[in-house]
Amino acid sequence: MTLKTRGVVLMWSAVGLVACGGSGTEAPPPPAETAGVVTSAVVPPCTGTNAWTTLGHDARRSSTSDGCAWHPLRKLWEYAPTAGAGRTVQGVERVVANTGGVYLTWNSNPNYVGSGGSPALDKLAVDTGANVWSVDRQLNDNRGHWPTMFTYEKNVGGGVYEAKEGIVRNDDGIRTWSQQFGANYYSGGTIPYAEYEQAPNDSWGQSLSDGTRLWVYNQLHYHGPKLGLRSMDKRGNLLLELNTYGYYGGTRVFPQHQWDTAEDRLGSIAADGGFIYLAAIYNFQCSTNCSATEPRPFATGLYGWDVATGTARWPRVALEPASHISVSGNRIYLLERDPATGTVTFNIRNAGYNGASLFRSAPLPASHLTGFQAPVLVAGRAIFAAQETSGSNLGTVLYSFDALSGGTPLTTTLTGVYDVIIPFYGRDLLDFSTTPFAGRRSTSIAAASGTKDDAGVSIPTLVITSRTGLHVVAVSTLSTLWSATKASLVGTSDGGALRDPVIVKDRVYVVDRNKVYALGL
């Protein structure tokens, strides 16, 4: 195997990070890097090329790339979006990326005072971070959902369609923008138009591609598409609608349309093996013309359908999800909350047999605050984080379960590391004025399955972002290999915590509320 050597510059400051094993015995912290030049960062070339296409990397929400994340990392470039005339930047959201570009979503000012911003999008060059194009279509209610890469088909004339690569935003409407050039401008105008506008307004939620279809979920019925899940083909045509409710644009009939609040407070979708799954926390409320006997359209729980036909895989599984879902084959992974006791457990469910529980962990300690990121699926493990909020060993607790059987977890405490768990109301200006659920969109763990150490030995790694900084952790042992404060890594402590890590090939991308940073060796 060919090795390559690169000189790297690293400004280091200790973060006081300690890794602790499941037995509670403290292990020594990793050795601090010497400030200045590290002259022999010897690593094998990274062969992974997977794109990070959506929330959780892929339709399975695995949060795992075939790329590499070794250490010491350094900042390669940074980028802050710039608004056009009469526009203002209200916050950076996150990126998706491939080897041809980095696509940054950010929040621009809305078209009326008091709304939640406008969803903007920039393409950046991978090598330099230079702006390639920007799209800022003035809308009025952005909620900061992850975009999705999708291969669409465009009529190029005479009924001839060509495959094109796009970026889909499902925020105040559903729009597919060109990866190549961004927007269309007609007749010398200044309004950016998408390649496809599948809905002009009031759709917000997760999206993904199953390789053939685009799936979008609308978490809230308002003045646009119905609440629910829908699929579209590569030419923007509607294929399926699942678990939908709404009346806007049609005739409102009582009592079946009495629910003037109709929302899913989680709206987690994931797909694999020809099936798509939804974990939902429904909220239906009626304020006028209410019938006490009218049932609510849908109940909180876990749902599954065939992606081609929309046939339900099994009846709804009654549960209360406490996280987003990830899926691998016939296994669905999530945290669940007991409605009676409030306790949280890690669960593996059998997608091939009625969504039945294959494994349920013991309840997590009441002092553990859990987040909404789906369990990370890497190297045969299912991994999630919790924050210890009491006692003498405060910090972030990592749990790693066998992805097939569950079993006894490997655990480690990252002492003094905070905000790996994104609070319910968000952080760093992510809690847009119209929604209290922005914290449910942010992530803090990304996995690199292609990482090799200095000797060329495979060592899958986790990249974990926090208020403290950034941490590289070995998947097999959960031991901390390397960490750095934000200030030492990117040169500033402004902009709040690092978050939403993305790994493509040998690059790690992270954001704060002001900028996106590209990291590498």
Side-chain angles (χ1 to χ4, degrees), residues 48-52 65 67 97-99 502-509:
T49 58
N50 280 177
W52 199 287
S65 164
N98 54 28
T99 56
V502 162
I503 302 167
V504 177
K505 200 174 180 181
D506 54 0
R507 294 289 177 86
V508 176
Y509 302 99

Side-chain angles (χ1 to χ4, degrees), residues 93-94 105-108 112 114-120 139-147 169-173 202-206 218-223 262-265 429-442:
E93 293 168 8
R94 50 192 52 89
T105 61
W106 54 281
N107 194 34
S108 182
Y112 66 86
S115 66
S118 186
L139 300 167
N140 60 34
D141 205 353
N142 180 33
R143 303 192 178 192
H145 287 279
W146 284 75
R169 290 217 64 176
N170 181 24
D171 264 301
D172 202 15
D202 291 358
S203 178
W204 305 273
Q206 292 188 13
N218 184 19
Q219 285 187 253
L220 174 66
H221 172 56
Y222 197 54
H223 296 154
E263 64 178 347
D264 180 349
R265 293 185 170 185
L429 303 184
L430 284 177
D431 47 333
F432 304 130
S433 61
T434 55
T435 173
F437 307 121
R440 297 185 174 185
R441 313 200 222 302
S442 292

Side-chain angles (χ1 to χ4, degrees), residues 181-410:
F181 55 80
N184 297 289
Y185 296 89
Y186 298 112
S187 302
T190 59
I191 297 175
Y193 289 91
E195 291 284 82
Y196 282 108
E197 186 175 88
Q198 293 95 327
N201 64 294
D202 291 358
S203 178
W204 305 273
Q206 292 188 13
S207 57
L208 61 83
S209 170
D210 66 16
T212 302
R213 308 158 194 82
L214 173 67
W215 291 88
V216 290
Y217 190 71
N218 184 19
Q219 285 187 253
L220 174 66
H221 172 56
Y222 197 54
H223 296 154
K226 297 176 181 179
L227 166 75
L229 180 62
R230 50 190 47 82
S231 65
M232 302 171 189
D233 68 14
K234 294 183 177 182
R235 300 178 185 180
N237 299 307
L238 180 66
L239 298 174
L240 293 172
E241 290 188 305
L242 305 169
N243 276 32
T244 56
Y245 167 85
Y247 49 80
Y248 184 76
T251 302
R252 188 175 185 183
V253 178
F254 291 96
Q256 67 198 62
H257 290 153
Q258 70 179 19
W259 311 107
D260 37 25
T261 294
E263 64 178 347
D264 180 349
R265 293 185 170 185
L266 184 66
S268 175
I269 59 173
D272 195 25
F275 297 92
I276 190 164
Y277 305 96
L278 165 69
I281 302 176
Y282 285 116
N283 177 38
F284 293 98
Q285 301 293 331
C286 177
S287 59
T288 59
N289 299 307
C290 302
S291 168
T293 60
E294 179 65 17
R296 285 171 168 76
F298 309 106
T300 291
L302 182 65
Y303 297 80
W305 299 274
D306 184 291
V307 297
T309 65
T311 303
R313 194 166 194 193
W314 17 257
R316 175 188 69 97
V317 179
L319 58 82
E320 182 178 320
S323 74
H324 296 303
I325 57 174
S326 50
V327 59
S328 179
N330 277 333
R331 282 172 168 76
I332 302 171
Y333 304 86
L334 75 161
L335 302 183
E336 297 178 19
R337 177 173 288 105
D338 186 317
T341 65
T343 58
V344 174
T345 56
F346 166 72
N347 293 264
I348 304 174
R349 291 196 167 267
N350 187 349
Y353 184 72
N354 295 329
S357 181
L358 288 170
F359 171 80
R360 182 183 301 275
S361 74
L364 303 186
S367 59
H368 283 191
L369 174 67
T370 57
F372 292 93
Q373 181 174 358
V376 176
L377 306 179
V378 56
R381 310 297 295 181
I383 300 172
F384 65 92
Q387 185 167 300
E388 178 58 78
T389 61
S390 68
S392 60
N393 198 22
L394 300 178
T396 296
V397 182
L398 298 179
Y399 286 86
S400 175
F401 287 87
D402 185 279
L404 291 178
S405 62
T408 301
L410 176 65

